[in-house]
Amino acid sequence: MALRGVWCVLLTCLFYTSSADKDFFTSIGQMTDLLYTEKDLVTSLKDYIRAEESKLEQVKKWAQKLDVLSATAIQDPEGFLGHPVNAFKLMKRLNTEWGELESLVLKDVSDGFISNLTIQRQYFPNDDDQTGAAKALMRLQDTYRLDTQTISTGELPGTNTDVTMSPMTVEDCFELGKIAYSDADYYHTELWMEQALKQLDGGEESTVDMVTILDYLSYSIYQQGELERALDYTKRLLKLDSAHQRANGNLKYFEYQLAKQKKVEVEEGLKEKEKREREKREASDKKGRPADYLPERRKYEQLCRGEGIKMTPRRQSRMFCRYSDNNRHPLYVLGPVKQEDEWDRPRIIRYHDVLSNSEIEKVKELAKPRLRRATISNPITGVLETAHYRISKSAWLTAYEDPVVDKINQRIEDITGLNVKTAEELQKDEPDAFKELGTGNRIATWLIYMSDVPSGGATVFTDVGAAVWPKKGSAVFWYNLFASGEGDYSTRHAACPVLVGNKWVSNKWIHERGQEFRRRCTLDESD
């Protein structure tokens, strides 16, 4: 009988954006289709160009022929027209051939291209998608502490040098700055307007003028409380356009505020001055953080960068790699699995080479047609809903759909020693999903990495300072509950955004029911 446990396949990509009727990924998901769509449009555009060139070539030949003829004719008009053939041909040209030329010039050869473009446009991303992609890029910038120059040149950590990447233009940087500005995100406005200005100063040609960039830049810096720098950029703007009305107004206002500030500093005592300087430093430290920034997010971002991992050398010395036969399981006595300790408290184990490449490709093949936006449970209502920070798509696979899925399910049971028949059968849409299943809480998690990720994409455990990095074909395993049945909150985890590449994983959530004689209950949580 086939195992009925279902597991979830997830695809996490570089960016995620969504509109009311479609989802886009800047990776191998739906974005792959857009790449082929664009390639088809380029082919169509080339056909149109060739048709226009052919038409212009005919017009050009006609013009050259008449140029020579008219040059000869006007040297001796009467003599030229005295020849009856020349007279007949002039009548014919003016009455017939010029009309044919007019028809040729008016002929529209763009129909094919415009028709194709109109059909394909329904699949194009919209303004919301572009804004979402920009914000995702800025999220990567913050999480991995990347400077704008690194992003603009495309020289990201883990980038494959064989992959062609066109650097960001002044227009690209300016667009990112504008999107941040429209969201009152003056920190990122400053960063990307400065990058646009830097590239302009470096001699890059652009349709965006320097005055516009300086206008955005000076105001975004002013909004962050840096009056002197805002004034400097305003003065630079006025050197280029002395009649700029807003800049002239800002100049007077900034100068007035600076004079007022200096007067207060003179009148203040030493303690007040030190207090003001301290407040400036604190404001600088918080620069760029959103209003809802939580300490846990700081830990999360550090771990995503590989920083702040709390593993002492002494604890590290007690972690090993080994061959495991799972208590002399018949399948693994002669061919044990490779087991590696990733963390000690909570115990996180990695099993290497548990999936072959062919099995991974089959799982992807089954999952791709059903990938849907992943959801989270609203902590207030309990309703499953999408969230802007959940940038993955998921699909649910049942064992009876393909022998490969059934085979992998059996392998998970053999390696862990746990019963997988009571794993989640559906992705429930109601808040009491586990209650509906009647199989208890999630006792353990089996997470398979189905791709290598060149940069980013770690699984981090913020409570204990642990980070686990993707390795294709391997799986990590941990218990979510103590043996007493109480929740182990140290296993709370989150996925880091993928900086370069795509991250394919599959989850198997194993439930309490069916484990009564496989993992016996005890009141000792340290057991």
Side-chain angles (χ1 to χ4, degrees):
M1 175 180 177
L3 298 171
R4 298 179 64 214
V6 171
W7 36 296
C8 179
V9 181
L10 295 102
L11 166 64
T12 306
C13 309
L14 298 181
F15 306 141
Y16 171 79
T17 62
S18 69
S19 58
D21 60 344
K22 54 184 178 287
D23 294 334
F24 287 122
F25 280 85
T26 54
S27 60
I28 64 167
Q30 280 85 344
M31 287 295 288
T32 303
D33 295 335
L34 290 184
L35 278 177
Y36 286 108
T37 295
E38 188 171 53
K39 186 177 186 301
D40 178 61
L41 285 174
V42 170
T43 301
S44 181
L45 180 60
K46 286 181 177 178
D47 290 341
Y48 162 66
I49 291 170
R50 279 193 290 269
E52 286 284 11
E53 287 175 341
S54 175
K55 185 175 80 171
L56 286 173
E57 186 62 30
Q58 293 178 61
V59 174
K60 185 178 177 181
K61 287 179 179 177
W62 171 262
Q64 289 173 340
K65 182 180 75 172
L66 285 187
D67 187 37
V68 173
L69 183 63
S70 60
T72 303
I74 61 173
Q75 290 178 3
D76 182 10
E78 291 186 5
F80 181 82
L81 292 173
H83 196 296
V85 173
N86 286 341
F88 164 74
K89 292 186 71 172
L90 176 62
M91 294 301 105
K92 177 177 174 290
R93 279 199 305 274
L94 292 173
N95 183 54
T96 304
E97 295 180 17
W98 275 99
E100 292 172 352
L101 180 64
E102 180 183 20
S103 298
L104 176 62
V105 171
L106 292 175
K107 183 181 179 182
D108 189 354
V109 295
S110 67
D111 286 351
F113 170 68
I114 295 299
S115 175
N116 192 16
L117 181 61
T118 302
I119 292 169
Q120 301 292 359
R121 186 173 280 134
Q122 62 183 309
Y123 305 111
F124 283 14
N126 57 26
D127 289 344
D128 289 340
D129 298 312
Q130 183 174 327
T131 298
K135 288 182 178 179
L137 188 56
M138 287 183 268
R139 181 191 176 208
L140 291 173
Q141 180 181 4
D142 294 343
T143 301
Y144 295 105
R145 287 188 175 174
L146 302 169
D147 59 71
T148 52
Q149 179 67 18
T150 298
I151 298 174
S152 180
T153 58
E155 297 172 355
L156 301 176
T159 302
N160 186 346
T161 54
D162 295 333
V163 176
T164 303
M165 187 274 170
S166 57
M168 292 178 69
T169 63
V170 170
E171 288 84 358
D172 295 332
C173 298
F174 177 73
E175 183 63 29
L176 278 174
K178 272 207 314 180
I179 288 170
Y181 182 86
S182 65
D183 212 29
D185 177 3
Y186 300 113
Y187 169 70
H188 287 104
T189 303
E190 175 193 346
L191 293 180
W192 286 103
M193 290 301 172
E194 280 191 331
Q195 181 62 33
L197 185 63
K198 179 181 177 182
Q199 291 180 207
L200 266 185
D201 287 340
E204 183 179 323
E205 293 184 0
S206 173
T207 56
V208 182
D209 64 276
M210 192 174 290
V211 168
T212 304
I213 293 173
L214 288 168
D215 194 18
Y216 276 102
L217 188 53
S218 62
Y219 185 75
S220 63
I221 290 172
Y222 158 70
Q223 284 289 342
Q224 297 176 84
E226 298 184 57
L227 276 171
E228 289 187 11
R229 287 184 63 219
L231 180 61
D232 289 341
Y233 280 118
T234 302
K235 288 178 178 177
R236 183 175 173 184
L237 187 161
L238 288 169
K239 284 182 179 178
L240 298 171
D241 183 2
S242 59
H244 197 285
Q245 187 175 354
R246 184 169 48 252
N248 276 301
N250 288 345
L251 178 69
K252 293 175 183 178
Y253 178 75
F254 293 160
E255 287 177 334
Y256 167 74
Q257 289 293 333
L258 271 174
K260 184 179 175 181
Q261 191 180 95
K262 287 176 181 177
K263 183 180 178 182
V264 171
E265 288 175 357
V266 170
E267 293 172 354
E268 283 178 346
L270 181 61
K271 286 186 178 180
E272 286 295 321
K273 189 173 183 180
E274 288 176 349
K275 180 183 176 183
R276 184 184 290 273
E277 290 297 324
R278 185 169 62 253
E279 288 173 350
K280 281 184 178 180
R281 286 195 298 272
E282 288 174 355
S284 179
D285 290 341
K286 294 178 181 178
K287 191 175 181 182
R289 293 181 184 175
D292 59 352
Y293 191 90
L294 299 173
E296 191 172 32
R297 177 170 168 180
R298 181 171 172 271
K299 287 184 187 176
Y300 162 77
E301 290 180 347
Q302 282 182 324
L303 291 169
C304 287
R305 295 191 296 268
E307 303 168 4
I309 297 175
K310 300 174 182 176
M311 175 58 69
T312 63
R314 185 177 179 183
R315 286 168 62 191
Q316 183 71 49
S317 67
R318 294 197 291 267
M319 297 172 68
F320 300 97
C321 294
R322 65 187 70 80
Y323 285 102
S324 171
D325 61 11
N326 191 22
N327 295 322
R328 300 192 64 76
H329 188 287
L331 282 175
Y332 300 113
V333 171
L334 295 178
V337 291
K338 290 182 276 188
Q339 188 185 83
E340 178 184 359
D341 294 329
E342 284 282 355
W343 207 256
D344 53 355
R345 296 188 301 273
R347 193 177 185 211
I348 304 171
I349 300 171
R350 187 192 296 267
Y351 293 93
H352 292 271
D353 303 326
V354 293
L355 251 69
S356 66
N357 285 334
S358 61
E359 288 172 328
I360 288 172
E361 291 308 311
K362 170 54 73 173
V363 171
K364 286 184 181 181
E365 179 189 322
L366 294 170
K368 279 179 182 179
R370 0 179 159 174
L371 286 171
R372 297 292 181 271
R373 178 92 182 267
T375 57
I376 63 162
S377 176
N378 185 305
I380 298 173
T381 65
V383 175
L384 291 175
E385 58 187 27
T386 59
H388 67 88
Y389 54 82
R390 188 80 190 269
I391 58 172
S392 62
K393 282 196 168 187
S394 61
W396 295 77
L397 303 179
T398 53
Y400 56 75
E401 294 181 58
D402 193 275
V404 168
V405 181
D406 191 20
K407 184 179 176 183
I408 295 170
N409 274 338
Q410 184 64 58
R411 191 175 305 152
I412 294 170
E413 180 164 316
D414 293 338
I415 292 174
T416 64
L418 297 175
N419 186 341
V420 300
K421 294 181 177 67
T422 57
E424 295 166 47
E425 291 220 356
L426 301 171
Q427 181 176 15
K428 296 286 184 176
D429 289 331
E430 57 273 3
D432 297 324
F434 292 172
K435 192 180 293 184
E436 292 291 324
L437 285 170
T439 56
N441 209 337
R442 291 172 176 171
I443 191 174
T445 297
W446 174 274
L447 175 64
I448 303 173
Y449 293 111
M450 300 196 298
S451 64
D452 291 315
V453 180
S455 188
T459 305
V460 298
F461 298 75
T462 54
D463 284 10
V464 296
V468 179
W469 303 91
K471 188 176 188 325
K472 186 177 181 181
S474 72
V476 290
F477 173 79
W478 66 84
Y479 282 104
N480 302 305
L481 304 179
F482 291 112
S484 65
E486 294 296 316
D488 183 356
Y489 292 100
S490 67
T491 62
R492 287 193 314 147
H493 58 284
C496 297
V498 173
L499 181 57
V500 177
N502 299 281
K503 178 183 174 186
W504 282 90
V505 298
S506 58
N507 278 325
K508 183 74 172 178
W509 288 297
I510 304 169
H511 282 242
E512 290 178 287
R513 300 296 179 264
Q515 319 307 337
E516 293 83 354
F517 299 103
R518 301 193 183 210
R519 191 196 192 211
R520 294 182 180 275
C521 181
T522 173
L523 296 179
D524 184 2
E525 292 188 354
S526 64
D527 188 359

